[in-house]
Amino acid sequence: MENTAHEKFMRIAIELSEYNVKQGMGGPFGAVIVKDGMILARSANRVVSTNDPTAHAEVSVIRLACQELGTHDLSGCEIYTSCEPCPMCLGAIYWAHIDKVYYANTKADAAEIGFDDHAIYGELETPMTKRKLPFIQLLRDEALSAFKLWDTTENKTDY
């Protein structure tokens, strides 16, 4: 794909991020998913408008693209996002098997305006026993039954 096409898709993501702020819908983030040079889905950050802390632009656009294609696997797709993905969005991008990420603003740019993912990155590197958010394990032996069932089920869909 020509660089001008990449820039076109990124400009759409940036326009979504600006529109979102102007309309008071939420944070300054937008994302577009493209497959074979065609836009499958586009979304801005929807955290405030949906009262959903997981409705970042990247997660929202992944949900829309999956609905459009009727699959959880976005192999062959690329995502254009107005900002370097946060840890949650990066995880979603990997789980969706997206082929490539194009981004505009950096996580440092986001931190400068109050969207600082540094604390989350730090927590991920901290042992569970020392994290700010307590992690307490309960009923592992009972919960393993679902894992054993999954492991022996023949008609499962791997992802």
Side-chain angles (χ1 to χ4, degrees), residues 80-152:
Y80 295 80
T81 178
S82 65
C83 187
E84 184 177 355
C86 75
M88 176 184 68
C89 293
L90 184 59
I93 289 166
Y94 275 105
W95 279 114
H97 305 287
I98 292 174
D99 290 359
K100 196 175 287 186
V101 178
Y102 295 90
Y103 67 96
N105 293 317
T106 67
K107 61 185 174 186
D109 297 329
E112 285 182 25
I113 62 165
F115 294 94
D116 193 354
D117 301 327
H118 180 74
I120 298 171
Y121 283 111
E123 283 285 288
L124 292 173
E125 294 175 5
T126 301
M128 274 193 202
T129 57
K130 296 184 179 181
R131 290 182 182 170
K132 292 176 186 171
L133 179 64
F135 279 73
I136 302 151
Q137 186 175 24
L138 295 172
L139 303 176
R140 178 177 179 259
D141 291 340
E142 289 182 35
L144 281 173
S145 65
F147 279 17
K148 290 174 184 172
L149 182 61
W150 173 263
D151 194 40
T152 59

Side-chain angles (χ1 to χ4, degrees), residues 13 16-17 20 27-33 41-47 52-64 79-83 86 88-89 93:
L16 285 164
S17 69
N20 212 45
F29 306 98
V32 176
I33 292 184
R42 59 184 86 202
S43 184
N45 177 287
R46 299 171 53 190
V47 171
D52 179 355
T54 68
H56 289 198
E58 297 91 338
V59 172
S60 296
V61 80
I62 287 169
R63 290 173 180 160
L64 292 169
I79 188 168
Y80 295 80
T81 178
S82 65
C83 187
C86 75
M88 176 184 68
C89 293
I93 289 166

Side-chain angles (χ1 to χ4, degrees), residues 1 5 11 25-26 37 43 48 55 58 61 72-73 77 87 90-91 94 106 111 114 123 143 147 153-154:
M1 195 177 335
R11 283 190 179 101
M25 301 294 289
S43 184
V48 173
E58 297 91 338
V61 80
H72 60 275
D73 186 345
C77 294
L90 184 59
Y94 275 105
T106 67
E123 283 285 288
F147 279 17
T153 298
E154 290 185 23

